[in-house]
């Protein structure tokens, strides 16, 4: 049999969702990278949406954007942050995208008149994509996370792909089951049965796990581990206990305490090349040794889901704040503030307790008045303010209304008939929107910008040229740029053709930090290289 030039690791979930498959995948990628291998990580989402672009953040969490413009699941952000590399659209697929290519190929006679059945053609397309991702990323090991939980109907065809690969390349594939061991109450024992059932569900798809990552809220004792191993037909050392941790960045180090990388490499018939986790350890040390707080309020609207509050929609922003805070040896205290609450009287003064305020990206009308009032309050009370995408557009609207005195100035996203459309849709998108063609009508992915000398932005980046990731339909309307400039708003980052405003700020004399970006700097913030604008923002917050 032909020797494979790359290896495959699959991460699947058992028992329930939300037990940290994404972090497990990222951490496995990290520890294998530390052993000297080139790794890449892939996410497979079982839904029919072709990408994550059209989904509401309260449904799905954050839509993460890759450099090439792919709109994908937030797990992709974790992969990039842990392994510190840029991933591509080859690293992401959904049921919808897989079917779409198979159907298009069939329409183009790509199957040469054959009968195209779901099995094997859908799993074959999946495998081709994994191999393509390995090639594009020049990876030795491809780590693939399968969305959903085993036993569901939705991800069966992806499990079929694993089965097919395992039969063809038994020495090149390892399967990790991330499962959960519940504890009903503290006087009870931790239960292994649900995980045993998950293993059985996986078995019925033709797959035996190589490793079971046993997640739990409490430590798992040896007796329970051995029992789980026995009933799941794996070796004792292949049950890796993974109890809750203080920080997700601890996870790779915990995996290494039981030499998970060594174990996986052995299963894949690879010999470790090195071992180097120094930088990571240093970073983790900073997390645990930072005690003095820095308080940041994030004013958004995608927090509520039923009776619960989730911060998932802003995960990259939150992580970016954390990196910058740890870098400054501060403990980040982040509070979610619901924009609509600030529409009530007397609420704004609650903002006083924060060292800094962020208004992140968003869409639509809800909560806009609250956000505008927050921005005005931060400007007038000199609270460091950082706006991201919609945050910049609203910063411009607020400035136009209250400083330029353009009454009811607005973005046309909220009021298409405003007399002062200071934020307006880009011309080339207008036609598509008129036809309700929303999929892929945004400015997406990496674009370059030039920075203006001696501005906060330019000093923070310490360079004159940047490239950052975008996801938006609207822009600062060129007609108002001169007027805004005349009243002190500086556009310190501008597209190379000078048409698009990328960063807006007020000078230090006017405000310690009142700056916003049309792009999303949070998408490129990494634990080992915090983003310069977040770093500068936090620095000013601390001074306050
Ligand atoms: N709704 C705004 C736009 O489409 C901002 C988008 C965002 O914040 N990502 O331009």
């Amino acid at each position: 049999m032909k020797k494979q030039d790359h290896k495959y690791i699959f991460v699947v979930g058992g028992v329930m969702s939300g037990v940290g498959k994404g972090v497990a995948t990222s951490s496995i990628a990290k520890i294998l990278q530390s052993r000297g291998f080139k790794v890449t990580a892939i996410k497979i989402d079982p839904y029919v949406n072709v990408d994550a672009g059209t989904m509401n953040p309260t449904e799905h969490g954050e839509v993460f954007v890759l450099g090439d413009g792919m709109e994908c699941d937030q797990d992709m952000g974790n992969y990039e942050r842990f392994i510190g590399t840029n991933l591509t659209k080859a690293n992401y697929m959904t049921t919808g995208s897989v079917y779409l290519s198979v159907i298009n190929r069939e329409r183009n006679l790509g199957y040469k008149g054959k009968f195209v059945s779901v099995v094997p053609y859908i799993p074959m397309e999946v495998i081709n994509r994994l191999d393509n991702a390995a090639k594009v990323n020049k990876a030795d090991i491809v780590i693939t996370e399968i969305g959903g939980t085993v036993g569901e109907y939705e991800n069966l065809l992806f499990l079929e792909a694993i089965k097919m690969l395992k039969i063809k390349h038994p020495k090149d594939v390892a399967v990790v089951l991330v499962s959960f061991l519940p504890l009903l109450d503290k006087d009870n024992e931790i239960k292994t049965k649900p995980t045993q059932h998950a293993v059985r569900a996986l078995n019925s798809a033709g797959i035996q796990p190589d490793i079971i990552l046993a997640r739990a809220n409490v430590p798992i004792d040896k007796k329970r581990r051995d029992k789980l191993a026995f009933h799941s037909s794996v070796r004792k050392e292949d049950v890796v206990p993974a109890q809750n941790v203080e920080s997700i960045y601890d996870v790779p180090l915990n995996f290494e305490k039981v030499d998970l990388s060594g174990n996986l490499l052995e299963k894949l018939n690879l010999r470790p090349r090195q071992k180097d986790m120094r930088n990571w350890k240093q970073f983790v040390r900073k997390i645990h040794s930072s005690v003095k707080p820095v308080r940041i309020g994030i004013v958004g609207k995608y927090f509520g889901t039923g009776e619960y509050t989730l911060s998932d929609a802003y995960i990259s922003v939150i992580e970016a704040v954390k990196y910058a805070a740890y870098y400054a040896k501060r403990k980040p205290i982040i509070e979610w503030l619901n924009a609509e609450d600030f529409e009530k009287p007397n609420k704004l003064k609650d903002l006083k307790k924060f060292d800094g305020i962020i208004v992140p990206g968003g869409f639509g009308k809800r909560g806009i008045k609250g956000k505008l009032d927050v921005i005005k309050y931060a400007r007038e009370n000199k609270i460091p303010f950082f706006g991201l995408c919609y945050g910049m557009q609203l910063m411009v609207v607020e400035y136009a209304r209250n400083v330029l005195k353009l009454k009811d100035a607005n973005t046309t996203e909220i009021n298409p008939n405003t007399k002062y459309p200071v934020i307006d849709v880009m011309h080339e998108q207008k036609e598509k929107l008129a036809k309700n063609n929303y999929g892929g009508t945004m400015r997406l992915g990496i674009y370059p910008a030039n920075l203006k000398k001696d501005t906060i932005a330019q000093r923070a980046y310490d360079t004159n040229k940047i490239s950052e990731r975008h996801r938006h339909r609207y822009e600062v309307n060129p007609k108002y740029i001169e007027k805004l400039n005349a009243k002190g708003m500086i556009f310190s980052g501008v597209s190379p053709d000078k048409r698009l405003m990328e960063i807006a700020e007020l000078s230090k004399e006017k405000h310690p930090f009142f700056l916003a970006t049309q792009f999303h700097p949070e998408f490129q913030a990494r634990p080992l290289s915090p983003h310069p604008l977040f770093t500068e923002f936090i620095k000013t917050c601390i001074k306050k």
Side-chain angles (χ1 to χ4, degrees):
M1 193 191 305
K2 176 182 158 281
K3 204 180 148 299
Q4 265 299 109
D5 46 10
H6 51 266
K7 307 278 183 170
Y8 311 85
I9 293 177
F10 292 94
V11 178
V12 298
V15 176
M16 62 190 199
S17 67
V19 293
K21 252 185 314 157
V23 172
T25 305
S26 310
S27 301
I28 289 172
K30 182 80 219 166
I31 57 177
L32 292 171
Q33 183 187 52
S34 81
R35 304 309 297 263
F37 292 91
K38 182 106 172 65
V39 296
T40 197
I42 295 176
K43 176 78 194 276
I44 302 185
D45 271 327
Y47 41 66
V48 178
N49 306 57
V50 173
D51 59 38
T54 55
M55 267 182 277
N56 183 325
T58 31
E59 288 278 310
H60 173 267
E62 171 184 272
V63 176
F64 191 78
V65 182
L66 301 178
D68 59 17
M70 179 84 203
E71 296 172 281
C72 55
D73 184 79
Q74 59 186 38
D75 279 324
M76 298 288 285
N78 268 333
Y79 306 162
E80 282 199 343
R81 292 188 280 264
F82 274 68
I83 54 184
T85 40
N86 296 326
L87 300 177
T88 71
K89 58 175 180 285
N91 293 66
Y92 186 68
M93 67 182 106
T94 66
T95 296
S97 74
V98 171
Y99 269 89
L100 194 62
S101 9
V102 171
I103 291 170
N104 283 338
R105 187 171 314 127
E106 184 276 330
R107 292 289 79 187
N108 297 329
L109 278 179
Y111 293 98
K112 301 200 167 66
K114 274 210 195 102
F115 169 68
V116 186
S117 45
V118 169
V119 176
Y121 288 99
I122 296 295
M124 270 165 67
E125 170 66 21
V126 173
I127 293 170
N128 285 340
R129 286 177 176 218
L130 300 180
D131 291 336
N132 178 48
K135 210 169 95 193
V136 171
N137 294 282
K138 299 192 181 63
D140 306 313
I141 308 172
V142 183
I143 301 148
T144 305
E145 175 185 351
I146 313 274
T149 309
V150 292
E152 286 172 355
Y153 175 78
E154 292 194 315
N155 56 22
L156 261 184
L157 287 168
F158 302 117
L159 300 183
E160 184 67 22
I162 304 179
K163 187 190 89 184
M164 284 165 56
L165 263 178
K166 248 198 158 184
I167 292 171
K168 202 164 162 210
H169 307 284
K171 296 203 157 90
D172 302 312
V173 181
V175 177
V176 177
L177 173 68
V178 182
S179 193
F180 188 73
L181 275 51
L183 178 73
L184 282 181
D185 60 66
K186 65 175 181 13
D187 300 323
N188 222 309
E189 62 179 306
I190 201 163
K191 296 293 185 190
T192 64
K193 188 70 70 68
T195 298
Q196 295 176 38
H197 282 298
V199 172
R200 237 149 261 154
L202 197 53
N203 288 162
S204 70
I207 302 165
Q208 168 66 9
D210 295 283
I211 299 276
I212 299 176
L213 277 179
R215 292 272 299 107
N217 292 326
V218 291
I220 302 164
D221 64 344
K222 185 167 178 315
K223 189 154 174 210
R224 250 48 59 174
R225 269 174 69 185
D226 294 354
K227 183 173 164 189
L228 179 58
F230 177 79
H231 287 292
S232 309
S233 313
V234 302
R235 300 182 312 173
K236 288 175 186 171
E237 56 270 38
D238 292 335
V239 173
V240 176
Q243 75 170 96
N244 285 0
V245 283
E246 217 184 296
S247 155
I248 55 170
Y249 302 105
D250 289 331
V251 175
L253 300 178
N254 287 350
F255 283 175
E256 283 312 69
K257 283 183 191 149
V258 292
D259 192 26
L260 181 58
S261 65
N263 192 349
L264 278 167
L265 291 176
E266 198 180 301
K267 291 189 191 305
L268 294 172
N269 293 286
L270 290 171
R271 225 177 269 146
R273 296 173 180 163
Q274 60 171 61
K275 190 160 192 167
D276 184 3
M277 288 285 266
R278 268 171 301 176
N279 294 344
W280 196 262
K281 276 188 185 149
Q282 227 169 41
F283 164 67
V284 170
R285 225 175 284 134
K286 265 194 207 145
I287 298 179
H288 296 296
S289 61
S290 307
V291 277
K292 249 181 147 180
V294 53
R295 284 175 211 284
I296 305 298
I298 300 183
V299 184
K301 66 165 180 176
Y302 302 119
F303 293 130
T305 152
E307 295 294 305
Y308 295 90
T309 305
L310 288 181
S311 54
D312 255 25
Y314 304 105
I315 170 114
S316 294
V317 179
I318 292 163
E319 298 309 299
V321 168
K322 286 186 190 168
Y323 307 151
Y326 298 141
Y327 186 76
K329 300 210 174 60
R330 290 294 176 121
K331 188 186 177 79
I333 311 279
I334 299 169
E335 247 182 74
W336 330 123
L337 306 172
N338 190 339
E340 282 161 300
D341 288 348
F342 291 96
E343 293 170 10
K344 294 174 203 140
N346 278 332
K347 183 79 185 153
L348 284 165
K349 60 179 184 341
D350 288 5
L351 295 172
K352 282 229 163 80
K353 69 170 190 217
F354 293 104
D355 300 317
I357 291 160
I358 294 179
V359 173
F363 293 83
K365 268 200 180 89
R366 189 162 64 82
I368 287 307
K369 184 178 176 315
K371 288 188 189 176
L372 286 169
D373 288 349
V374 166
I375 296 172
K376 178 166 184 268
Y377 189 86
R379 181 172 57 77
E380 292 178 342
N381 292 280
K382 304 226 187 313
I383 304 174
F385 166 80
F386 194 10
L388 309 170
C389 204
Y390 214 11
M392 163 158 154
Q393 298 173 358
L394 296 175
M395 167 171 147
V396 171
V397 170
E398 188 277 321
Y399 211 71
R401 286 185 187 180
N402 301 317
V403 180
L404 276 63
K405 306 287 181 208
L406 302 177
K407 195 170 172 278
D408 297 329
N410 217 331
T411 155
T412 52
E413 178 169 358
I414 300 175
N415 178 7
N417 305 316
T418 172
K419 204 168 154 201
Y420 305 111
V422 289
I423 305 292
D424 197 10
V425 77
M426 292 173 280
H427 183 74
E428 43 277 42
Q429 314 288 36
K430 273 189 178 152
E431 232 167 89
K432 288 186 189 166
L433 283 177
K435 291 181 197 144
N436 251 357
N437 184 3
Y438 284 98
T441 56
M442 284 196 265
R443 183 160 177 248
L444 287 168
I446 282 273
Y447 287 90
N450 298 330
L451 300 181
K452 196 183 232 138
K453 269 224 149 56
D454 290 328
T455 54
I456 298 177
Q458 192 260 334
R459 280 193 297 263
Y461 277 102
D462 196 22
T463 165
N464 301 326
K465 282 188 193 315
I466 57 166
S467 48
E468 292 279 5
R469 297 187 192 174
H470 293 249
R471 181 172 189 253
H472 59 111
R473 290 195 182 90
Y474 296 81
E475 297 281 354
V476 176
N477 188 339
K479 283 190 204 133
Y480 292 90
I481 290 170
E482 258 176 50
K483 290 191 182 82
L484 288 158
N485 283 158
K487 289 281 182 190
M489 184 162 275
I490 303 164
F491 290 103
S492 48
V494 177
S495 66
D497 64 5
K498 301 194 169 63
R499 284 173 56 219
L500 307 173
M501 301 302 108
E502 300 278 30
I503 308 177
E505 62 179 76
L506 293 186
S507 70
K508 278 258 180 223
E509 291 79 60
K510 282 198 157 65
H511 193 289
F513 192 100
F514 194 72
L515 181 148
T517 60
Q518 183 55 78
F519 50 81
H520 290 272
E522 69 271 22
F523 291 149
Q524 297 201 97
R526 308 264 164 89
L528 303 185
S529 53
H531 193 284
L533 289 179
F534 279 91
T535 307
E536 185 60 30
F537 170 62
I538 293 291
K539 223 166 85 188
T540 328
C541 293
I542 293 170
K543 273 197 210 135
K544 179 188 171 266

